Amino acid sequence: GDTGEVTAAVLWEVLKAVVRGELISIRAHRDRMDRAEIDRLVREILQTDRRYAETPRAELLRERRRLQTEFGVVSRGKAVEQLRKARGAIYEHGEKASRKLVQQL
């Protein structure tokens, strides 16, 4: 008997796979955008440095500081995200993970 009906368990597994795929896609897009932003900032910083080396002007120095600050903000965000992932991995897979989770509660 194949009646053509799909069980709830199969639907649930399909839904989980679809949602997982969407989350992976969103994450990959976000990572590409972050990398593109960092690459753009690095290029602009280098270009500003070259222009400043040719003709030192105060506005180029201000632009360099602004770009460096923006780069720092983006880099800090990535570092914080990596720390969160590391902490999560320790809680999930570390030694005595359940004890640490109980202490958090």
Side-chain angles (χ1 to χ4, degrees):
D2 184 18
T3 61
E5 292 183 24
V6 179
T7 66
V10 170
L11 284 175
W12 175 246
E13 291 302 319
V14 168
L15 176 67
K16 287 191 319 186
V18 169
V19 169
R20 188 178 303 120
E22 288 296 316
L23 290 174
I24 289 170
S25 175
I26 290 168
R27 179 66 186 184
H29 176 71
R30 197 169 100 194
D31 285 347
R32 278 192 303 275
M33 297 302 290
D34 287 348
R35 268 187 257 117
E37 178 70 9
I38 288 172
D39 290 346
R40 180 191 67 81
L41 287 169
V42 168
R43 276 193 314 273
E44 287 186 26
I45 288 170
L46 290 173
Q47 184 180 20
T48 304
D49 285 347
R50 283 188 213 111
R51 289 190 337 224
Y52 185 77
E54 292 171 6
T55 55
R57 294 181 300 196
E59 71 250 9
L60 289 175
L61 195 55
R62 281 193 297 276
E63 177 68 11
R64 171 68 157 84
R65 286 185 187 137
R66 184 191 66 77
L67 290 169
Q68 189 66 40
T69 301
E70 192 175 340
F71 181 82
V73 168
V74 172
S75 297
R76 266 189 295 278
K78 294 295 279 182
V80 166
E81 187 176 318
Q82 289 173 351
L83 284 171
R84 283 189 190 132
K85 282 182 185 178
R87 276 193 199 140
I90 289 171
Y91 284 130
E92 291 177 23
H93 307 293
E95 193 174 315
K96 301 179 184 176
S98 60
R99 178 184 283 176
K100 290 180 180 181
L101 288 173
V102 167
Q103 290 172 352
Q104 292 293 318
L105 297 175

